[in-house]
Amino acid sequence: KIEDLILKDNEISFETVIVRPTGVFGPGGENLKKLANDLSNGLKLKNYLKSCLYNKRTMNLVSVENVVGAIFFLTLLEANHKNEIFIIAEDNKESNNYRSVEKIMMENLGMNDYLFPRISLPQSLLSLVLKFVGQSNIDPQRKYSTIKLEQIGWKSVNQFEEKINAFL
């Protein structure tokens, strides 16, 4: 609703472009801090159960460098994109899922993988759990696309895995 108000009220005043990043991580960011804390200080059984439940759930993460890069790109663009909305995501990265990110973090934290083989639970169970706890995104496979940005020439500025390693 706020975006609609901004776009509606600024039709004449100035050019408005809205940037919608997914879950931003990087210096000063809060995303991934809880997972890192849970892995290093949490109960192993709880972490194991979360890993089985979340498994291949898309994390919808994007590095702060990519967000800043996209904003910078849009400010230098000469074409008029007044009142447009651009999504900034890295969901196209194969490792942008719970298990892959968890494994990267465990390696960086010097932790061994779980003693027991992980059991892949049905995605429908995860959807039900997410709905029960009041999450707005209950689709474990939802992916956001930057195709609109890419079509006008923007390119991702980094490697996803490298930025998670740098964050840690």
Side-chain angles (χ1 to χ4, degrees):
K1 289 183 179 185
I2 292 172
E3 288 176 356
D4 290 339
L5 287 172
I6 291 170
L7 293 175
K8 182 181 175 193
D9 289 344
N10 289 321
E11 288 178 4
I12 301 171
S13 325
F14 54 88
E15 185 175 326
T16 302
V17 173
I18 293 178
V19 174
R20 273 191 207 153
T22 55
V24 182
F25 73 92
E30 292 299 314
N31 284 306
L32 293 183
K33 282 185 179 178
K34 182 175 180 346
L35 179 55
N37 187 52
D38 286 351
L39 289 172
S40 55
N41 301 318
L43 297 171
K44 302 270 188 229
L45 178 61
K46 182 179 177 183
N47 290 337
Y48 170 78
L49 293 173
K50 276 178 62 176
S51 184
C52 291
L53 181 63
Y54 290 140
N55 196 20
K56 293 294 180 183
R57 178 185 187 205
T58 305
M59 293 281 289
N60 305 120
L61 295 169
V62 62
S63 69
V64 69
E65 289 87 354
N66 264 331
V67 175
V68 171
I71 292 170
F72 188 70
F73 171 80
L74 289 167
T75 60
L76 297 177
L77 209 59
E78 292 188 18
N80 184 359
H81 292 281
K82 183 177 181 179
N83 294 346
E84 288 195 54
I85 298 170
F86 294 94
I87 294 172
I88 303 170
E90 291 184 75
D91 289 357
N92 61 336
K93 307 294 190 215
E94 190 175 318
S95 57
N96 197 347
N97 65 72
Y98 188 89
R99 179 59 179 153
S100 295
V101 171
E102 177 189 46
K103 281 183 78 170
I104 293 168
M105 294 182 101
M106 289 172 88
E107 288 170 11
N108 273 278
L109 295 168
M111 300 174 67
N112 294 324
D113 205 355
Y114 301 109
L115 294 175
F116 301 105
R118 290 173 51 267
I119 302 164
S120 291
L121 298 172
Q123 295 291 300
S124 57
L125 178 62
L126 175 56
S127 293
L128 187 64
V129 168
L130 293 171
K131 187 174 185 176
F132 180 75
V133 297
Q135 293 288 318
S136 58
N137 179 9
I138 62 168
D139 179 1
Q141 298 303 314
R142 176 175 284 161
K143 293 183 186 270
Y144 295 93
S145 173
T146 58
I147 192 75
K148 188 174 177 181
L149 265 172
E150 292 166 0
Q151 287 175 337
I152 60 172
W154 178 76
K155 293 185 181 5
S156 178
V157 295
N158 67 280
Q159 295 297 319
F160 181 75
E161 296 86 357
E162 290 175 12
K163 289 303 173 182
I164 289 182
N165 287 323
F167 170 77
L168 293 167

